[in-house]
Amino acid sequence: MAILVHTTADGAEYELGERTIIGRMDGCDLRILDALISKQHAEISFAHGRWSLRDLGSSNGTLVNGRRIHAVDLSEGDQITVGAALLVFSHAAPRARGPQVEIIESSAPQVQARLERTPSETFRPADQIGDLAQLKRDYEKLRIANELNRAIGLEPDVDKLLARLLDETFKLLPADRGVILLMDPQTRQLVPRAVKHARTSHEAINLSSTIINQVFQTGSSVLTMDAMMDSRFAGAKSVIAGGIRSTMCVPMIHQSQLFGVVHLDSLVATGAFSEKDLQILDGVAAQAAQALDNAFKAKQLERNALARRDFERLLPPEVVEQVVNGGFRLERGGELRQTTVMFTDVRGFTAWSERHPPAHIVAVLNDYFELMVDAIHRHKGTLDKFMGDGILALFGAPISYGQDAVNAVACALEMMRFVDQFNREHEGTGDQFSIGIGVNTGPVVAGYMGSSRSMEYTAIGDHVNLASRLCGAAPPGHILVSADTLAALGGHFAAAPLPPIQVKGKQQPVTVYQITGYAQAY
């Protein structure tokens, strides 16, 4: 079979069946909790000896190796982007699973006495240290930190990082078994992520819920000379079932954030660990927490980069930053907003397209759209959608910049200049475009709309319709604006009145103006 490696979730692997649904709803074969992913986003299937990927009408699309697809056959190493998650397709077999780890529920009564651990102190200047024992302890912490830094470096793969940490820990301490458990951010439960035996073994490891909960709930360490005899864990069936004789369990805390716990135990030695061993493990756990923090932040940066790349196709940079940083939420639903709406359309496009093959049409349109979208973003507009050769852009939604009508008309003038540039660049091929633009201002309902499987940010309302009608009435090379838009321009632009026009949906003729350029005063 084949697997997907979820690189933005710490290297987790998913074995693919003959049909695998990817999405964020319960019941999906591969569930990814990401607001950018549709409830049922994409499907991977195996048929006729080939693996194929199909987008299920998702709102934000499915990309393979950076290109948006509808359906495609998969090859080894293909990178699949859904939402902010990056999945890598591979024919490799799933990694061998380590010994099973189970946290056995305890019937012990509530612990009354606790072994508190003094929080790690910061390193003081040399002239403030008069205690030789303290100096030795600080030196030991620095030595361990240095050794671990050399061993793990800046390892971004969390599973590899944890495995190396256990390897180094076993070099320092006389443990038979070691387990690192990390906190699941969704369930707030501890989940085993790395396991090590001093000797080759595939036996299941039973951990004591009593000991784990002691560390997890109090943030203090547990060191027991004989867990089966320790009065704090009297009656704990989980300790007895595990046959645990000596145990150390230490929280991984960095900057007051609990990442998980490191658990070491010995099955044969009574009093296998000392207080010095606990201090060493404390240093390991602190280093592990810092390394995890670095790895998680690196993954977050990767997720942000992927999300930013996708949103930059539609939104101006200022809005992208707010979306990525959580300052603006992309949720379904609309709101009434004062918005300037712009429609553009290529004149004579149908006749031109009939003379060229589809591949040529797409290539030329992409060159044209590249210039138009650049103008929209430069003037703080939001790309709503492409409509064949037409474009719908919004100014003032989802964010208003206070002079949205001015930005829209300035954008329209720049679009006209960009069309001239486009025509000069394509003069040798004969691909020459002219466009008409319509702009209207007024209250519209703007927001993410659509079904649970497919949404888009758009605007609806009478003022949107009027902008479309103005675009349709604009001769080639003309920018037509409504009276409401002209009133919002504040004299920044030169405008010539035109005879009122009758548009569909309006009983009375509509007053329109042609923008001829910037006003001389500006």
Side-chain angles (χ1 to χ4, degrees), residues 63-235:
L63 284 74
V64 174
N65 301 325
R67 297 175 65 101
R68 187 163 182 165
I69 61 93
H70 172 66
V72 68
D73 288 339
L74 292 173
S75 301
E76 179 70 27
D78 278 346
Q79 296 187 346
I80 304 167
T81 302
V82 288
L86 179 62
L87 308 169
V88 179
F89 175 80
S90 176
H91 291 286
R95 289 181 295 196
R97 305 297 179 186
Q100 181 182 359
V101 177
E102 183 178 357
I103 302 176
I104 300 177
E105 294 297 328
S106 169
S107 61
Q110 183 177 3
V111 176
Q112 299 297 319
R114 294 175 178 171
L115 178 61
E116 300 292 343
R117 177 176 58 88
T118 303
S120 300
E121 297 178 354
T122 56
F123 293 102
R124 291 176 292 172
D127 57 3
Q128 295 182 15
I129 301 177
D131 183 355
L132 181 60
Q134 178 65 46
L135 186 61
K136 289 182 177 180
R137 287 194 294 271
D138 286 348
Y139 171 80
E140 187 71 1
K141 294 176 185 176
L142 288 172
R143 185 185 69 82
I144 293 170
N146 180 63
E147 291 296 323
L148 289 173
N149 274 328
R150 291 174 59 187
I152 64 178
L154 295 175
E155 175 59 65
D157 187 304
V158 171
D159 289 319
K160 292 180 181 178
L161 169 65
L162 297 180
R164 291 181 184 177
L165 283 167
L166 280 180
D167 288 341
E168 295 303 313
T169 301
F170 272 53
K171 294 177 184 178
L172 298 168
L173 299 168
D176 286 319
R177 311 185 306 183
V179 179
I180 297 180
L181 304 99
L182 297 188
M183 182 188 296
D184 187 308
Q186 301 293 332
T187 65
R188 302 292 295 176
Q189 300 295 316
L190 290 173
V191 179
R193 289 292 297 271
V195 180
K196 183 175 177 63
H197 281 268
R199 293 168 291 278
T200 302
S201 174
H202 296 286
E203 296 180 358
I205 300 177
N206 295 328
L207 302 184
S208 165
S209 63
T210 310
I211 296 176
I212 295 294
N213 289 337
Q214 168 92 357
V215 175
F216 183 59
Q217 294 172 5
T218 67
S220 60
S221 295
V222 167
L223 165 61
T224 177
M225 301 304 176
D226 192 330
M228 296 179 68
M229 301 297 293
D230 195 320
S231 62
R232 291 172 303 138
F233 309 115

Side-chain angles (χ1 to χ4, degrees), residues 301-348:
L301 289 174
E302 180 184 354
R303 286 192 292 269
N304 289 352
L306 289 170
R308 183 177 287 107
R309 182 192 64 189
D310 291 339
F311 286 128
E312 280 176 347
R313 296 187 176 102
L314 302 176
L315 303 172
E318 298 87 346
V319 180
V320 171
E321 288 300 322
Q322 293 197 46
V323 172
V324 172
N325 296 327
F328 180 78
R329 296 184 60 84
L330 301 180
E331 297 177 343
R332 191 167 67 168
E335 60 176 338
L336 194 65
R337 297 186 64 90
Q338 185 75 6
T339 305
T340 296
V341 183
M342 172 197 291
F343 278 86
T344 74
D345 186 66
V346 176
R347 298 298 185 248

